[in-house]
Amino acid sequence: MPGNGQAVLQVQGLKTVFSTRAGDIHAVNSVSFSLQPGELLGVVGESGSGKSVTMMSLIGLLPSPPAEVQAGSVQFGGADLLKLGKKALQALRGRDIGFVFQDPMTSLNPVFTVGFQIMEPLRKHMGMNKAAARKRAVELLELVGIPDAERRLRDFPHQFSGGMRQRVMIAIALACDPKVLIADEPTTALDVTIQAQILELVKELRQKLGMSIIWITHDLGVIAGIADRVMVMYGGQVVEYGPVREVFANPAHPYTRALMTTVPSVRGERAEKLNVIEGQPPMLSQHPTACPFRARCPHAFDRCARENPARRTVVEGHDTACFWDHRTGEPHND
């Protein structure tokens, strides 16, 4: 795991609210985390837990209105990204922070060639002329494992398979050698063979380029295989955070434990039913004043309905937001 030096990215108290006709939606609530140089941070949780909205909030990718970042700070490169103007953020996105979106077919523009879309950030952010940008685009396609790169620059997105389109998205995100790469569920729509290829590619690129990566996914198995630390989100909040081996071996939050029981086992009987987490994720129509997981939690007690637990330390580097002590099976005293 990378050392705990000066963080590349430091997020404190991030809060994002969507204004709708039905009222405000409190999508991200006091999220704090850091990203170390060369580290891969895995972000997991159910759909609607706030993973993607949190990361889009960091670099101004949410439409405003309806979205508004109401509180927090995002320290990157000596500046608070939340205080930067629109032009400064546009200059930073793609150059210093790359973003790989979830669906490459809708993220790539169907009317422009793949070459044009890779060359665009190179010409805008790096000031390259057309010939230099084209040469770099070929190198990027070769880097992400696309054969016959020179010819394929002239192809359109629909001429690529799903896995190849995802590789193109990664190439675009890597074009300007960013310090941080945010990958938003980049393998969700791919079959398991292509998914394995993309994961191997990310491991190789991380070793070659030494960048820091935030990897958003539903797949705990993926996180176990590639991440240094894991951040578990639920109801727009961080409920557990720590080194991936420590969290997986010693999960402290009931939600993390429930997630781990839903992972299918290859050793069970074929007729064995898959485990599910009973109930539904919480409505986020108001700022949380109680534990968001209490309605689905087998360990909930009176205090959970009165207070929203703050994160507390389990062991050094590992914390959780829960009133229940997983070691004793009883409410903790503080």
Side-chain angles (χ1 to χ4, degrees):
M1 176 176 172
N4 294 320
Q6 181 68 34
V8 176
L9 187 68
Q10 184 78 45
V11 179
Q12 288 289 337
L14 186 69
K15 181 180 179 182
T16 302
V17 176
F18 287 83
S19 297
T20 72
R21 291 181 180 179
D24 289 347
I25 304 297
H26 296 259
V28 179
N29 297 293
S30 301
V31 167
S32 299
F33 67 92
S34 64
L35 184 67
Q36 301 295 324
E39 177 183 37
L40 195 150
L41 173 66
V43 184
V44 299
E46 291 171 281
S47 295
S49 61
K51 306 183 299 298
S52 299
V53 175
T54 295
M55 300 311 157
M56 289 184 181
S57 298
L58 304 184
I59 53 176
L61 283 176
L62 295 174
S64 180
E68 180 187 359
V69 179
Q70 294 189 343
S73 69
V74 181
Q75 297 295 326
F76 176 81
D80 185 348
L81 301 188
L82 300 185
K83 295 180 179 178
L84 294 182
K86 186 175 180 180
K87 286 188 177 179
L89 271 178
Q90 286 177 341
L92 178 140
R93 290 193 298 258
R95 183 190 66 200
D96 297 316
I97 300 178
F99 205 107
V100 181
F101 293 94
Q102 185 170 352
D103 185 355
M105 195 62 239
T106 56
S107 300
L108 292 169
N109 194 320
V111 302
F112 292 110
T113 65
V114 160
F116 177 88
Q117 295 181 67
I118 298 175
M119 291 163 62
E120 185 179 26
L122 292 168
R123 302 194 69 181
K124 179 177 181 180
H125 295 304
M126 308 293 283
M128 291 184 180
N129 60 34
K130 190 172 182 179
R134 184 178 181 83
K135 181 180 177 181
R136 174 62 175 158
V138 172
E139 292 173 355
L140 285 164
L141 286 187
E142 291 174 345
L143 183 68
V144 297
I146 293 182
D148 199 8
E150 181 80 43
R151 181 183 64 81
R152 302 231 65 183
L153 284 181
R154 301 189 294 272
D155 288 345
F156 290 86
H158 72 270
Q159 295 174 275
F160 288 76
S161 67
M164 288 298 181
R165 285 195 295 267
Q166 196 59 276
R167 288 169 186 261
V168 170
M169 284 296 302
I170 293 172
I172 294 172
L174 295 176
C176 301
D177 293 330
K179 296 180 179 69
V180 174
L181 178 69
I182 302 173
D184 187 3
E185 301 191 39
T187 60
T188 297
L190 306 178
D191 63 58
V192 291
T193 304
I194 303 302
Q195 182 183 81
Q197 292 174 3
I198 296 294
L199 292 174
E200 282 303 313
L201 171 64
V202 169
K203 287 181 182 179
E204 291 174 13
L205 293 177
R206 184 184 170 202
Q207 290 177 349
K208 287 180 182 177
L209 305 176
M211 69 178 64
S212 302
I213 300 174
I214 297 174
W215 190 279
I216 304 169
T217 184
H218 293 95
D219 194 330
L220 294 178
V222 167
I223 293 303
I226 66 172
D228 298 303
R229 280 192 293 173
V230 60
M231 182 168 78
V232 183
M233 294 192 68
Y234 185 81
Q237 302 178 58
V238 178
V239 296
E240 190 155 2
Y241 180 75
V244 68
R245 290 185 180 179
E246 161 66 20
V247 171
F248 279 36
N250 188 31
H253 197 281
Y255 179 61
T256 308
R257 292 180 166 230
L259 279 180
M260 293 178 71
T261 64
T262 64
V263 177
S265 172
V266 296
R267 296 181 182 143
E269 296 292 331
R270 291 186 66 183
E272 187 177 323
K273 287 186 177 180
L274 294 175
N275 289 319
V276 297
I277 304 175
E278 298 293 339
Q280 297 294 323
M283 299 295 292
L284 301 175
S285 55
Q286 59 184 358
H287 182 74
T289 56
C291 173
F293 190 59
R294 68 190 185 281
R296 307 170 77 184
C297 179
H299 308 290
F301 58 104
D302 293 345
R303 187 181 180 188
C304 303
R306 299 194 307 268
E307 298 177 48
N308 189 7
R311 282 159 60 178
R312 62 180 179 85
T313 300
V314 180
V315 296
E316 185 178 358
H318 178 192
D319 58 57
T320 185
C322 188
F323 294 129
W324 174 73
D325 192 326
H326 69 289
R327 292 165 293 197
T328 65
E330 300 290 337
H332 62 78
N333 295 324
D334 56 345

